[in-house]
Amino acid sequence: MSASEIGTLFNSTRASFARITPIVWGPAGQALAFQLQLRPGEFVLDVCSGTGASAIPAAMGVGPTGRVHAIDLADDLLEEGRLVATDRALQNIDFVAADATTWEPPSSVPAAGYDVVSSAFGVFFLPDMDSAVRGLIRMLRPGGRIGVTAWRRGAFESLSTAFFDAVGVYRDNGGPGQRTPVGAVARQQAERLETPKQLADWLTGLGGHDVVVQELSNLAPATDEFCWEIVLGSGLRGPLAEFDPDTIAAIRAEFLGLLTERGVHTVNLGTLVGSATMY
Ligand SMILES: C[S@@+](CC[C@H](N)C(=O)[O-])C[C@H]1O[C@@H](n2cnc3c(N)ncnc32)[C@H](O)[C@@H]1O
């Protein structure tokens, strides 16, 4: 899946993405910004920033003398972030449509590099996660910090299994529904970061010191509206692109029926927040 197809997929999540932000994206983004111990005047690169769940709290952390570059492939999500930033009168954040794997820091960034690189639920979407993140780390000044959030093992599991089972019922050839290619790669890479030890080892392997990994428990009541909104407001919605509106309505009904049948009352949004200093 090309960068432009990823952008198109996430652009299509915009309305639902924004609606689930207070429950799904917001808490983790805020936690990431706090864990990075931002200081006034710092320069932050936030990649895969979506509507700014971590970038906006970062802009508040570094204040008017600092700056945040928030980059993403999905301009519609960035536009949502611009609206929030304008609403809060934040003038120290730039939402830029760009690919994290080819980003070149503009000349306004200090020659030594960014103070911080952050990404909430983003690094596992990068085609070759480790080499892409090494590239981002090279944009940090010596002693700069990196921070990421990732899904804790088991997060979303009952929900996504029911969703793919429901999609499978409506596929021509039957069988379980399949993730889109980007979804499959993201899933494989996310599985390498889903325990505190895995995430800590990964950050250490990238050359990180003073590694900290915190576990955030986030258990949301599984109402029908919320469960469907998560599908529409995340990368999960990818497989729906091949169906017409009537079939999507049928998939929704099947999905919600499966959740009821399986006794899913809670959506596990467990998150890991990892950070490290790079010397
Ligand atoms: C799950 S969303 C997370 C957004 C945001 N960080 C948050 O926590 O709300 C993942 C984001 O990564 C973006 N993305 C995926 N690949 C990217 C790339 N190569 N460069 C920039 N953004 C990318 C997608 O467009 C999407 O907005």
Side-chain angles (χ1 to χ4, degrees), residues 132-151:
V133 173
R134 281 183 209 282
L136 295 168
I137 287 170
R138 283 195 286 276
M139 294 179 209
L140 281 173
R141 66 165 169 81
R145 289 102 70 208
I146 179 170
V148 301
T149 70
W151 297 113

Side-chain angles (χ1 to χ4, degrees), residues 197-221:
K197 180 170 183 327
Q198 282 180 317
L199 182 52
D201 287 350
W202 182 71
L203 288 167
T204 305
L206 291 169
H209 298 261
D210 309 323
V211 173
V212 176
V213 175
Q214 306 232 53
E215 295 187 72
L216 305 183
S217 177
N218 188 3
L219 300 167

Side-chain angles (χ1 to χ4, degrees), residues 3 6-7 10 17 25 29 46-54 71-74 77 98-101 119-122 124-127 149:
I6 295 177
F10 277 97
F17 193 103
W25 314 114
D46 186 86
V47 303
C48 304
S49 49
T51 59
S54 51
I71 67 169
D72 199 285
L73 295 169
L77 296 189
D99 187 332
T101 61
S119 187
F121 306 118
F124 37 78
F125 284 106
L126 304 177
T149 70

